């Protein structure tokens, strides 16, 4: 069994030694994984190697470059080389790992030419999103699937992780720093990492791990104070503890998608939006004082209002990055730069769309008939809702550390019992919209240099059983297409609902982009 102290932080030790207790968000994610309510998150990117590195049958040069770049990233980001124990208790902890066999974390998968490459990619994503992480105390919870085809110009790198280790922005940072490492090594002809050893001429590739205790990023509660006003505290507490048999769930709850624990199976659909259309949609958002995130929240509302005729109202969620408001280089953590750290620095804001708004949208859609376009009066509502969502997000960010959900979450003493209880309630959230923004596809290069580059990026979420019924995620590479993905638990809704939502979103992106 893994060894760890009962309390306090250990300054050094062998594998299995406790590093620190988990914070509230980390503990919440451990409970989700332990109870099989959530399995993993993925950021997938298409990498184009330099012309000098051939993607032929012999991938030795590409493999060596990737192993070296990943190893440097692991050593720079402690959350990528720790394990955890106590997942079945109320107090899970991070523990030390002293070595890491990259063969267990970097999986090379050659495309089966009996199918299209796109189908191989989709099948791989499907398999990985529904896979569970094991050996939690001795292996960090992440893996990198390399999908390749001899002679093809690109390779797909599917980075999948267990959420206790880090958030979605951490997945973006992973790829950004991996690309930088690849290019810095290629441009400067840097010597391979000495801590990376190939064992006995085999494919075992073992990385020696230093003690991460002094550099593991702290959870947000250790980094900052999270003050709350009495009104915020009372509202949040009442929302959690009010008895549903006296105060039944309201119109905005997702009555249409009851929580079902099994079977766990994620379904997803995606589409690309051409960069020229994205540019015009961004311009339209600016003209209406909103963002693409706010716009997509409004578009999902309109689509589901038409599809779910018996729903009177809806609630949704937007995750946001705490790195923008957390301090850097503090006295206690002088080495910490949150914006460069792979960890769990994320929170959420929720939005409600009441019965009057839904009824107004529904009446316009009824008058429109079977046409799924966006008439002027409906667009007016869409831009109004989009701007409201943007204001709610902006107000939350401008409030800094005040009245953040983290302040409430840290009061939970046992996330296992909390999440078991949550699974027996009426689902509150109908959807969430998460946007990781833009990746620099030439990180580590200057103009005119040849090197590695990114051509496409996609964020994918596995089903999250007690949370939002539908998860819409967005990501793009600079000057590339926007990739929009939607995922859901297979058993809680008919696939046609998710497919119809994605058809609507794709059509409406093009329609809005064509108006400028």
């Amino acid at each position: 069994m893994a060894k760890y102290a009962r309390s306090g932080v250990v300054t050094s030790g062998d594998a299995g030694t406790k590093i620190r207790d988990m914070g509230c968000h980390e503990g919440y994610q451990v409970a989700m994984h332990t109870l099989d309510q959530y399995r993993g998150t993925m950021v997938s990117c298409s990498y184009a190697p330099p012309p000098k590195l051939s993607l032929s049958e012999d991938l030795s040069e590409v493999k060596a470059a990737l192993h070296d770049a990943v190893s440097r990233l692991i050593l720079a980001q402690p959350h990528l080389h720790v394990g955890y124990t106590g997942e079945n208790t109320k107090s899970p902890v991070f523990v030390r790992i002293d070595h890491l066999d990259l063969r267990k974390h970097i999986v090379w998968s050659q495309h089966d030419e009996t199918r299209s490459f796109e189908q191989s990619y989709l099948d791989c994503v499907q398999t990985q999103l529904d896979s569970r992480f094991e050996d939690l105390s001795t292996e960090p919870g992440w893996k990198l699937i390399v999908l390749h085809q001899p002679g093809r110009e690109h390779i797909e790198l599917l980075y999948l992780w267990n959420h206790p280790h880090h958030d979605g922005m951490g997945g973006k940072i992973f790829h950004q720093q991996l690309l930088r490492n690849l290019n810095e090594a290629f441009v400067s002809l840097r010597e391979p990492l000495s801590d990376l050893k190939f064992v006995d001429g085999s494919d075992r590739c073992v990385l020696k791990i230093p003690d991460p205790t002094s550099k593991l990023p702290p959870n947000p509660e250790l980094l900052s104070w999270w003050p709350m006003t009495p009104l915020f505290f009372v509202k949040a507490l009442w929302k959690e503890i009010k008895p549903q048999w006296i105060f039944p769930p309201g119109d905005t709850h997702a009555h249409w998608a009851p929580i079902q624990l099994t079977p766990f199976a994620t379904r997803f659909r995606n589409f690309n939006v051409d960069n020229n259309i994205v540019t015009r949609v961004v311009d339209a958002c600016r003209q209406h004082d909103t963002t693409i995130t706010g716009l997509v929240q409004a578009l999902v509302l309109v689509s589901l209002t038409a599809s779910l005729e018996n729903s009177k109202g809806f609630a949704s969620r937007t995750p946001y990055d705490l790195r923008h408001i957390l301090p850097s280089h503090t006295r206690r953590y002088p080495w910490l730069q949150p914006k460069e750290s792979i960890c769990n620095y994320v929170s959420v804001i929720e939005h409600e769309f009441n019965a009057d708004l839904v009824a107004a949208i529904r009446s316009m859609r009824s008058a429109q008939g079977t046409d799924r376009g966006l008439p002027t009066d409906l667009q007016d509502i869409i831009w109004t809702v989009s701007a409201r969502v943007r204001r709610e997000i902006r107000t939350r960010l401008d409030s800094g550390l005040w009245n953040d959900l983290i302040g409430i979450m840290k009061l939970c003493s046992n996330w296992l019992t909390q999440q078991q209880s949550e699974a027996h309630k009426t689902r509150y959230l109908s959807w969430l919209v998460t946007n990781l923004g833009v990746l620099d596809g030439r990180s580590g290069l200057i103009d005119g240099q040849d090197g590695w580059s990114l051509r496409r990026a996609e964020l994918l979420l596995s089903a999250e059983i007690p949370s939002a019924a539908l998860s819409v995620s967005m990501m793009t590479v600079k000057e590339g297409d926007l990739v929009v993905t939607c995922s859901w638990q297979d058993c809680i809704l008919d696939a046609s609902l998710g497919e119809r939502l994605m058809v609507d979103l794709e059509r409406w992106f093009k329609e809005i982009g064509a108006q400028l």
Side-chain angles (χ1 to χ4, degrees), residues 257-384:
I259 294 172
Q260 184 171 323
L261 298 178
T262 58
F264 190 105
T266 301
R267 294 292 175 261
F268 72 96
R269 300 290 185 271
N270 60 7
F271 64 85
N272 291 8
V273 184
D274 182 86
N275 179 252
N276 292 326
I277 294 175
V278 174
T279 300
R280 293 196 290 269
V281 171
V282 170
D283 289 342
C285 288
R286 288 172 179 158
Q287 292 175 18
H288 293 88
D289 297 319
T290 190
T291 61
I292 281 188
T293 299
L295 174 61
V296 171
Q297 284 277 3
L299 293 179
V300 175
L301 169 64
V302 171
S303 178
L304 294 187
T305 295
S307 298
L308 300 169
E309 297 179 354
N310 295 324
S311 294
K312 296 180 179 179
F314 297 97
S316 71
R317 170 177 287 174
T318 303
Y320 61 91
D321 186 12
L322 290 173
R323 292 168 180 81
H324 298 291
I325 58 179
L326 288 172
S328 299
H329 307 298
T330 64
R331 180 178 299 180
R332 187 176 179 184
Y333 306 101
W335 45 268
L336 182 66
Q337 293 180 279
K339 291 183 180 179
E340 295 290 321
S341 299
I342 295 179
C343 51
N344 270 302
Y345 288 167
V346 64
S347 192
V348 298
I349 183 172
E350 292 171 354
H351 320 278
E352 289 194 344
F353 310 100
N354 63 29
D356 290 342
L357 174 61
V358 169
I361 294 172
R362 190 164 285 139
S363 65
M364 292 181 188
R365 296 306 300 266
S366 298
Q368 184 185 3
T370 59
D371 184 6
R372 303 287 286 194
L374 297 175
T376 302
D377 54 356
L378 186 54
Q379 287 195 41
D380 290 342
I381 286 188
I382 287 171
W383 289 121
T384 298

Side-chain angles (χ1 to χ4, degrees), residues 78-200:
H79 270 290
L80 299 181
H81 61 250
V82 297
Y84 66 80
T85 61
E87 62 270 20
N88 290 303
T89 73
K90 66 178 182 179
S91 303
V93 298
F94 287 115
V95 296
R96 186 184 172 191
I97 294 172
D98 59 6
H99 71 277
L100 194 155
D101 186 353
L102 290 189
R103 180 181 55 176
K104 297 181 180 179
H105 294 272
I106 303 178
V107 180
W108 294 79
S109 177
Q110 183 167 323
H111 163 59
D112 179 359
E113 295 189 359
T114 62
R115 299 175 296 170
S116 69
F117 192 87
E118 176 66 18
Q119 190 58 52
S120 292
Y121 170 78
L122 294 174
D123 290 346
C124 185
V125 169
Q126 183 70 69
T127 298
Q128 297 304 323
L129 281 180
D130 281 345
S131 65
R132 282 183 57 81
F133 288 93
E134 307 293 343
D135 304 319
L136 304 173
S137 65
T138 58
E139 297 289 343
W142 64 266
K143 53 186 169 181
L144 187 66
I145 313 298
V146 186
L147 184 60
H148 64 95
Q149 178 182 5
R152 193 171 185 265
E153 294 181 354
H154 308 146
I155 55 175
E156 303 296 328
L157 268 58
L158 291 72
Y159 174 61
L160 179 76
W161 70 92
N162 189 4
H163 217 308
H165 289 278
H166 65 82
D167 54 23
M169 188 57 64
K172 179 181 179 180
I173 294 171
F174 179 97
H175 279 285
Q176 199 73 85
Q177 295 187 358
L178 176 60
L179 179 63
R180 188 185 309 156
N181 288 348
L182 287 167
N183 279 327
E184 287 176 354
F186 179 77
V187 171
S188 65
L189 301 178
R190 184 171 56 194
E191 288 295 319
L193 195 65
S194 60
D195 287 339
L196 185 62
K197 304 294 184 184
F198 287 88
V199 180
D200 302 328

